[in-house]
Amino acid sequence: MSIKPYWSQKEPSMDSVLWRFMDLRKFRDLMASEELYFRRADLFTDKSEGLPPEDYALRVLGLDPFNIDHRSHLNNHLGSLAQHRESYYVNCWYLYAQGLETLDMWELYGHDGVAAVTRYDLLYDALNGLSDEAHLGQIQYGTDHLTDRFNALEFITTKQKKYALDCEVRALITAYDPLAGGNRHIDLDNCPHPHPLPVNPRNAWVPDCKRRRIDLRKLITDVVISPWAETDAVEEINLWVKIKGFPAAAR
């Protein structure tokens, strides 16, 4: 299935360099499995992932925050979106557009590990060969780019400005639960909430992640070792690179 465009999509040039920072454990997993790991969107640390800012939602929906009926209407919209984002599985990359990485990125995402390097066109080709509905593009930060629409894909590709240094390029695959109910945010008194409720749990077969087999040698162009990696970790990383036959040695 080919990659699908989405509203307000922003893309870097096809030859843009991307880095995926990862700790040693995740690097081992990537090398051993040759699979990309996609995390379910509602499980990210930022619990606002995939949801619009409340003031934006109020404005677009024409609601008064001090009106009880309007607040219920807002909760219904937000609760529905919070359930819908469970259908998105995310794989994150760093846009190396300025020719440098920051120590903060190493500290947050790859302290003792590596950054796997690719290009946007190679990641595009890898996703384009999957059987899933897939999307790929840059994360946009803040709300200035948002149109007066209530669009789930716009929200899942938007983050708060405080995350702007992540320079994220986001790969998404969608996997809908065909038997999921759309009202898991509504309580026993028929009142909507802005998030799904424990009284209405998701189906047990919905996984926390998805994995997709890819051609690792076509995707990865280089492996950069963390400046804080221990000597034994460096040796292991170089061994993996040698075994997998990458064109460039780890550095």
Side-chain angles (χ1 to χ4, degrees), residues 115-139:
V117 182
T118 189
R119 296 194 313 269
Y120 189 80
D121 61 330
L122 299 178
L123 182 58
Y124 187 98
D125 289 344
L127 294 173
N128 216 29
L130 301 180
S131 59
D132 308 90
E133 178 183 302
H135 306 279
L136 180 64
Q138 287 180 246
I139 288 292

Side-chain angles (χ1 to χ4, degrees), residues 155-173:
F155 299 145
I156 202 69
T157 55
T158 296
K159 297 192 75 169
Q160 299 175 51
K161 285 187 177 180
K162 66 181 180 180
Y163 297 111
L165 292 179
D166 286 358
C167 301
E168 184 182 340
V169 169
R170 175 164 290 190
L172 294 166
I173 59 174

Side-chain angles (χ1 to χ4, degrees), residues 22 35 54 84-86 90 95 117 144 156 164 168 198 240:
M22 60 189 78
E35 295 173 334
E54 185 175 295
H84 186 72
R85 69 179 174 176
E86 294 174 6
V90 179
L95 179 61
V117 182
D144 291 346
I156 202 69
E168 184 182 340
W240 276 114

Side-chain angles (χ1 to χ4, degrees), residues 203-232:
N203 289 318
W205 55 73
V206 177
D208 291 349
C209 68
K210 295 281 187 178
R211 292 172 173 272
R212 292 296 180 264
R213 185 86 171 180
I214 44 94
D215 189 330
L216 202 61
R217 292 159 192 82
K218 287 184 178 180
L219 179 65
I220 303 301
T221 60
D222 201 356
V223 175
V224 181
I225 301 175
S226 165
W228 294 302
E230 300 288 344
T231 301
D232 57 345

